[in-house]
């Protein structure tokens, strides 16, 4: 697609710099440039722009609304000096296609159009955290396959954040060699925007992307909670679904992730009555939330027999609804890992695949 750009920027030096970048980018050309929004509103229509790049440093929503009224069918990307999640969300709700920090490079411009074309930089992202009272719950397998199912069913962008800071193994699961990890992402967050943050995620395919965990357990202390929160908030500009793999047990990181999530899955592997007891104790922590029954769901893995009767038995033992049960499919998962593929791909009609797809359907309906 060829982009005929109407550029609106108040700073004289900046508008020349941005115009040079746009004209130097393949598929882009500046049709007209204005320092005053009023001039662009009154004169710019004669150039038939199909993309408006609009500086919104002052009265952002009011200016955007004026441009949406005059150019109702033209995509608008708002420009700013600094990333601000609240402002970006407000502008997207008001009709902007996305928000880009200036000055930008040709590569960042191309990435912005590609990213906003896929996600629309929607503010309707759903953040889902996965927590287990103890380790070896099967949540990594669940998250990986659920991400693939969500992407295929919804056709939307899915991001996985491996926040198990000491022993996260999402990179191993997907056979990834990360150039950067969650450590670098939170370290650099003050200098990033969604477009530049996207480079810290590793692509599994066109729709599923992973921010890998630390390369060394000792680096977990480098991830500050406030920066982690800002990073997840920024990632909402990239993905419709964000799945966070949390460390087992309660710690500042798992508490923060649960607090900022729309939904938290408590995951436990059935191996006797202790898991049910641990799940009940974990649920007690969340009872301080008035809406905890809506926001906290339970999932049991390695359930055998994996049928409705067993699910009802677990619910009775829990005294709490069970959102999903996942069958004992160790051989399927192992064979998939040996073949470098997902269990969903290796045996798409297996009960494991069916139950994970059902869980994806529930998540999509909750949007």
């Amino acid at each position: 697609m060829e982009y005929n750009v109407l550029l609106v920027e108040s700073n004289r030096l900046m508008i020349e710099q941005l115009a040079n970048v746009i004209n130097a980018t393949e598929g882009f050309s500046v049709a007209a440039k204005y320092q005053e929004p009023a001039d662009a509103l009154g004169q710019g229509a004669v150039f038939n722009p199909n993309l408006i790049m609009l500086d919104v440093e002052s009265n952002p929503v009011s200016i955007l609304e004026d441009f949406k009224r005059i150019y109702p069918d033209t995509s608008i990307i708002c420009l700013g000096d600094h990333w601000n999640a609240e402002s970006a969300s407000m502008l997207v709700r008001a009709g902007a296609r996305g928000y880009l920090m200036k000055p930008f490079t040709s590569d960042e411009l191309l990435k912005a159009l590609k990213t906003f074309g896929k996600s629309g930089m929607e503010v309707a992202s759903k953040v889902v955290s996965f927590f287990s009272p103890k380790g070896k719950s099967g949540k990594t397998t669940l998250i990986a396959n659920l991400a693939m199912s969500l992407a295929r069913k919804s056709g939307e962008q899915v991001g996985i954040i491996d926040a198990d800071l000491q022993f996260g193994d999402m990179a191993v699961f997907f056979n990834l060699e990360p150039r950067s990890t969650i450590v670098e992402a939170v370290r650099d967050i003050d200098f990033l925007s969604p477009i530049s943050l996207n480079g810290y995620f590793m692509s599994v395919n066109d729709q599923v992307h992973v921010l890998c965990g630390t390369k060394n357990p000792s680096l977990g202390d480098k991830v500050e909670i406030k920066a982690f929160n800002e990073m997840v908030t920024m990632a909402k500009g990239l993905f419709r679904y964000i799945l966070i793999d949390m460390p087992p047990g309660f710690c500042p990181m798992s508490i923060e992730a649960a607090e900022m999530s729309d939904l938290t899955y408590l995951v436990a592997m059935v191996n006797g009555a202790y898991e049910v007891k641990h799940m009940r104790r974990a649920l007690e922590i969340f009872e301080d939330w008035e809406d905890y029954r809506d926001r906290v769901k339970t999932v049991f893995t390695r359930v055998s027999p994996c049928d409705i009767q067993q699910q009802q038995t677990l619910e009775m033992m829990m005294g709490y609804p069970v959102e999903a049960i996942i069958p004992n499919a160790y051989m399927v998962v192992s064979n998939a890992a040996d073949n470098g593929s997902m269990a969903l791909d290796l045996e798409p009609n297996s009960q494991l695949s069916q139950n994970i797809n059902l869980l994806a359907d529930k998540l999509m309906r909750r949007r």
Side-chain angles (χ1 to χ4, degrees), residues 66 77 82 114 178 190 192 225 294 314 323 332:
D66 289 340
I77 293 181
H82 306 284
K114 181 179 179 181
D190 288 341
L192 300 179
I225 300 300
D294 293 325
L314 289 168
E323 182 80 348
V332 176

Side-chain angles (χ1 to χ4, degrees), residues 121-182:
M121 203 176 178
E122 290 285 349
V123 293
S125 295
K126 179 175 285 294
V127 180
V128 185
S129 55
F130 294 76
F131 168 81
S132 61
K134 299 182 69 177
K136 295 184 178 180
S137 64
K139 64 182 172 66
T140 299
T141 300
L142 174 62
I143 293 169
N145 284 278
L146 181 61
M148 301 297 284
S149 180
L150 280 171
R152 291 169 184 171
K153 284 176 168 290
S154 68
E156 296 176 343
Q157 297 291 295
V158 181
I160 300 174
I161 297 175
D162 192 345
D164 190 346
L165 299 181
Q166 292 188 317
F167 299 106
D169 51 9
M170 200 62 72
V172 176
F173 198 95
F174 283 110
N175 194 29
L176 300 173
E177 293 291 339
R179 297 181 299 274
S180 54
T181 70
I182 190 173

Side-chain angles (χ1 to χ4, degrees), residues 245-257:
D245 189 1
M246 297 192 296
F250 286 101
C251 65
M253 178 60 68
S254 59
I255 293 171
E256 179 68 18

Side-chain angles (χ1 to χ4, degrees), residues 164-291:
D164 190 346
L165 299 181
Q166 292 188 317
F167 299 106
D169 51 9
M170 200 62 72
V172 176
F173 198 95
F174 283 110
N175 194 29
L176 300 173
E177 293 291 339
R179 297 181 299 274
S180 54
T181 70
I182 190 173
V183 174
E184 290 76 31
V186 298
R187 179 197 65 195
D188 301 340
I189 196 64
D190 288 341
F191 310 101
L192 300 179
S193 69
I195 299 305
S196 48
L197 175 63
N198 198 26
Y200 291 74
F201 282 78
M202 298 290 291
S203 295
V204 177
N205 55 38
D206 285 343
Q207 292 175 273
V208 179
H209 312 270
V210 181
L211 180 61
C212 298
T214 60
K215 295 180 180 179
N216 187 297
S218 64
L219 297 175
D221 293 339
K222 302 291 185 181
V223 180
E224 297 182 357
I225 300 300
K226 181 176 181 295
F228 172 77
N229 185 304
E230 293 173 355
M231 185 268 295
V232 174
T233 301
M234 190 178 292
K236 290 182 179 182
L238 294 170
F239 308 108
R240 294 290 174 86
Y241 297 96
I242 300 173
L243 311 183
I244 306 177
D245 189 1
M246 297 192 296
F250 286 101
C251 65
M253 178 60 68
S254 59
I255 293 171
E256 179 68 18
E259 287 281 359
M260 68 185 308
S261 295
D262 300 289
L263 196 66
T264 296
Y265 283 130
L266 301 184
V267 185
M269 184 180 295
V270 174
N271 191 24
Y274 285 106
E275 282 72 19
V276 173
K277 180 179 179 181
H278 293 317
M279 288 280 262
R280 284 204 305 260
R281 293 175 64 187
L283 279 170
E284 291 173 1
I285 302 295
F286 293 100
E287 288 178 356
D288 289 339
W289 294 351
E290 291 183 1
D291 58 348

